[in-house]
Amino acid sequence: MNTLTALPLSLQTIALLVASNVFMTLAWYGHLKNLATAPWYVAALVSWGIALAEYLLQVPANRIGYQQAGFSVGQLKIMQEVITLAVFVPFAVFYLKEPLKLDYLWAALCMVGAVYFIFRSA
C-alpha cells in the first residue's frame, strides 16, 4: 500500500490538489523568471508541458473528491482557490522575489468567508 492511498479520501484529495497547484503555479508563472528572454511561444510550450503534470494530479483529485470523498463541485473549487493562494504567495515572495503585501492577507480573509459559506451546509 502506498502512502497516498493510506490517507483518508478527503486528505488524498487535498494532497493531490496541493501537488497539482505547485505544478500549475510553476507553469503559469515560472517562465517569468526562468524563460524571461525566451520567445513567448517557447515559454508557452514549456508551460504546457508542466501543466500536463498539473492535470495528471488535478483530474484524479477532483474525481476522488467528488465521487468518493463526497465533496460538492463548489467545495472542490473553493478548496482549489484557497490552495492556489497558499501555494502562490510563497512562490511569488520567495521565488519571484515579489514583495509580501498586506493585500494577500485580505484576500485570504475573503477566502475564509468563501470557505465558510460553501461548507456551512455540509
Side-chain angles (χ1 to χ4, degrees):
M1 178 184 299
N2 70 40
T3 306
L4 187 60
T5 57
L7 292 173
L9 293 170
S10 58
L11 291 180
Q12 287 180 38
T13 301
I14 292 167
L16 286 167
L17 288 174
V18 169
S20 76
N21 263 279
V22 170
F23 284 104
M24 180 195 72
T25 301
L26 188 58
W28 282 24
Y29 303 104
H31 63 87
L32 297 175
K33 180 176 180 178
N34 297 330
L35 300 170
T37 59
W40 72 266
Y41 53 87
V42 171
L45 288 172
V46 170
S47 293
W48 181 83
I50 296 168
L52 176 61
E54 184 257 333
Y55 276 94
L56 292 174
L57 296 166
Q58 177 78 345
V59 170
N62 283 324
R63 290 175 73 96
I64 292 167
Y66 185 75
Q67 295 174 346
Q68 297 173 11
F71 291 118
S72 71
V73 174
Q75 290 170 332
L76 287 167
K77 182 60 182 170
I78 292 301
M79 276 194 288
Q80 171 71 23
E81 296 304 327
V82 169
I83 291 167
T84 296
L85 186 62
V87 169
F88 173 76
V89 171
F91 180 85
V93 171
F94 296 113
Y95 188 73
L96 294 177
K97 306 297 185 204
E98 293 283 318
L100 181 61
K101 296 181 179 181
L102 198 52
D103 289 341
Y104 292 134
L105 173 64
W106 304 136
L109 289 174
C110 289
M111 287 188 173
V112 167
V115 168
Y116 168 77
F117 286 114
I118 207 74
F119 280 92
R120 71 180 170 160
S121 62

